[in-house]
Amino acid sequence: MPIPVPLRTLLRAAPTVAPVPNRTVLSVSGSDATQFLNGLLAVTVQGKQCYGAFLHAQGRVIHDVFLYTYPSQTVPTYLIEYDASPSESQPLLNTLKRYVLRSKVRIRDATHEWDVWAAWGHDPSSSTTDNSSTHERREWQWARSGAVEPVWCRTAEWPWGTETGVIVDRRAPGMGRRMIVPKGEKPRESSTHDTLGHEAYLLHRILQGVPEGSIDIPPLHAFPIESNLDVMGGLDFRKGCYVGQELTVRTYHTGVVRKRILPVTLTSILSSALAPPTDHATPRPNLSIKPSVITPPSIDSDPESSSIRIPRLRGTSTLLSSVLTPSLGPGKAVGLALLRLDHLRRSVELFTDEASLETTPRQNDQRWKVEHWWPDWWPERPPEGEMEA
């Protein structure tokens, strides 16, 4: 199902710019910088900026990253932007330094030098705004496993853009652009765009169905295809050797994708009549989501009926980022969730698990009904005969 009609009022078409908080920037420079990063990132590094990910040797995601090129008259220089929130993974700076060995590469933390911003929306007066991205038509390559990747080779220009410090965010149509600017400064778009807070960007990418950072893609836990890195252009299944390649490519060719990160609507369910109807807190990340089978009416009226089979559903899903949407009414929110695909059927309802709640006494009995939708841009799966083996 596409985005629900009431949620379309939350989509901002006006040109908007907002900061992206909690981002760390690393500088990687040296004559071997391109070769060094190409051996670690899950995409091909060609001296151009792009989106990708660093993977663990067992194929799990360490960090999803944006890679910027930085002009230098001496040696190739790149800036890596990522979410360095505390996690089970060691700092990316330390991870990269382990692989330097004899490579002519210098790696340093440059976070104190840069801020990260995002811009989106339709701006007819600007030639740099990605005005057609919302309605952009894309071509896709499907695998029988359920993995899918965008086909970039037929685009006339580099898909992620060539302007220094600006990446065309091709993770999803309508995402706009990603900008890295000197610390304390604002992008030039701030003079012509509405400047909003970071919550506006969070809402924007949730509505577009785009996961990002350590909450949505937990380091050392998330698998790249389940985290939509394939469909967002962050994986290259035809690239040569890189860390984590073996399991990723094996899943593409012989595995089965059983989970996906999808946008969801959240409706609060208060079992206590004493709880104020407007007293709602944003659902915390990592809440377990369990399925509940809707019992067919025929079984209620005839308990001995054996003609209708009730599916036995195993496993749980997980709630990730979310944001309250008071404009839609009290107890309403939108978010992203890692959902089991076999739970996405009309006969099944999804609810957060009460046992996983760790809230204040007033909210102890608060649950959330979870309803998913597929982003408008998500590719339609072709017949088996048209998919790559």
Side-chain angles (χ1 to χ4, degrees), residues 5 56 104 172 177 210 245 252-253 257 278 315 337:
V5 174
H56 190 266
K104 297 179 180 178
R177 286 163 294 125
V210 174
Q245 177 202 28
Y252 179 87
H253 289 291
V257 180
T278 58

Side-chain angles (χ1 to χ4, degrees), residues 224-299:
I225 299 177
E226 292 181 350
S227 300
N228 301 350
L229 291 180
D230 56 337
V231 74
M232 295 192 300
L235 297 175
D236 186 346
F237 296 106
R238 293 156 187 81
K239 178 187 174 182
C241 183
Y242 61 89
V243 178
Q245 177 202 28
E246 182 179 357
L247 183 60
T248 303
V249 174
R250 186 190 307 160
T251 301
Y252 179 87
H253 289 291
T254 64
V256 176
V257 180
R258 303 187 187 278
K259 297 180 182 180
R260 283 290 188 180
I261 294 180
L262 295 176
V264 296
T265 58
L266 302 165
T267 304
S268 177
I269 300 173
L270 295 174
S271 58
S272 171
L274 299 178
T278 58
D279 188 12
H280 299 281
T282 303
R284 69 173 181 85
N286 300 319
L287 284 178
S288 295
I289 300 173
K290 290 191 174 182
S292 176
V293 178
I294 302 174
T295 304
S298 58
I299 292 183

Side-chain angles (χ1 to χ4, degrees), residues 34-290:
T34 301
Q35 180 182 357
F36 173 76
L37 290 173
N38 190 57
L40 296 176
L41 277 169
V43 291
T44 302
V45 179
Q46 305 178 29
K48 303 175 183 178
Q49 50 202 15
C50 61
Y51 170 74
F54 292 102
L55 305 183
H56 190 266
Q58 279 69 47
R60 297 179 186 261
V61 180
I62 299 178
H63 289 290
D64 63 313
V65 304
F66 286 92
L67 183 69
Y68 301 82
T69 54
Y70 186 77
S72 174
Q73 297 180 350
T74 54
V75 294
T77 302
Y78 298 89
L79 298 176
I80 301 173
E81 175 225 321
Y82 72 103
D83 180 5
S85 300
S87 68
E88 294 182 19
S89 174
Q90 66 174 324
L92 183 59
L93 178 63
N94 296 345
T95 301
L96 296 181
K97 285 184 174 181
R98 287 170 41 206
Y99 292 100
V100 171
L101 301 178
R102 296 184 179 180
S103 299
K104 297 179 180 178
V105 172
R106 182 192 177 201
I107 308 172
R108 63 182 182 88
D109 190 338
T111 306
H112 63 284
E113 301 175 16
W114 303 99
D115 285 330
V116 179
W117 291 71
W120 68 95
H122 182 72
D123 182 9
S125 65
S126 174
S127 60
T128 60
T129 301
D130 191 18
N131 291 326
S132 63
S133 60
T134 303
H135 307 288
E136 173 192 354
R137 294 188 61 185
R138 295 190 178 186
E139 297 185 16
W140 307 90
Q141 178 69 57
W142 280 82
R144 289 191 174 91
S145 61
V148 57
E149 54 186 329
V151 179
W152 301 129
C153 60
R154 300 180 185 178
T155 58
E157 300 179 355
W158 182 247
W160 303 97
T162 56
E163 182 180 355
T164 300
V166 179
I167 288 181
V168 178
D169 194 344
R170 301 295 294 274
R171 292 177 296 174
M175 279 301 294
R177 286 163 294 125
R178 191 93 166 189
M179 297 160 291
I180 191 166
V181 300
K183 198 74 172 180
E185 297 184 11
K186 292 184 178 181
R188 64 176 182 271
E189 286 81 358
S190 61
S191 61
T192 58
H193 290 46
D194 296 335
T195 302
L196 301 182
H198 62 87
E199 298 88 353
Y201 172 71
L202 173 61
L203 176 62
H204 171 63
R205 69 174 182 84
I206 285 176
L207 294 175
Q208 300 296 338
V210 174
E212 174 182 302
S214 299
I215 292 179
D216 298 335
I217 309 175
L220 303 184
H221 289 274
F223 287 103
I225 299 177
E226 292 181 350
S227 300
N228 301 350
L229 291 180
D230 56 337
V231 74
M232 295 192 300
L235 297 175
D236 186 346
F237 296 106
R238 293 156 187 81
K239 178 187 174 182
C241 183
Y242 61 89
V243 178
Q245 177 202 28
E246 182 179 357
L247 183 60
T248 303
V249 174
R250 186 190 307 160
T251 301
Y252 179 87
H253 289 291
T254 64
V256 176
V257 180
R258 303 187 187 278
K259 297 180 182 180
R260 283 290 188 180
I261 294 180
L262 295 176
V264 296
T265 58
L266 302 165
T267 304
S268 177
I269 300 173
L270 295 174
S271 58
S272 171
L274 299 178
T278 58
D279 188 12
H280 299 281
T282 303
R284 69 173 181 85
N286 300 319
L287 284 178
S288 295
I289 300 173
K290 290 191 174 182

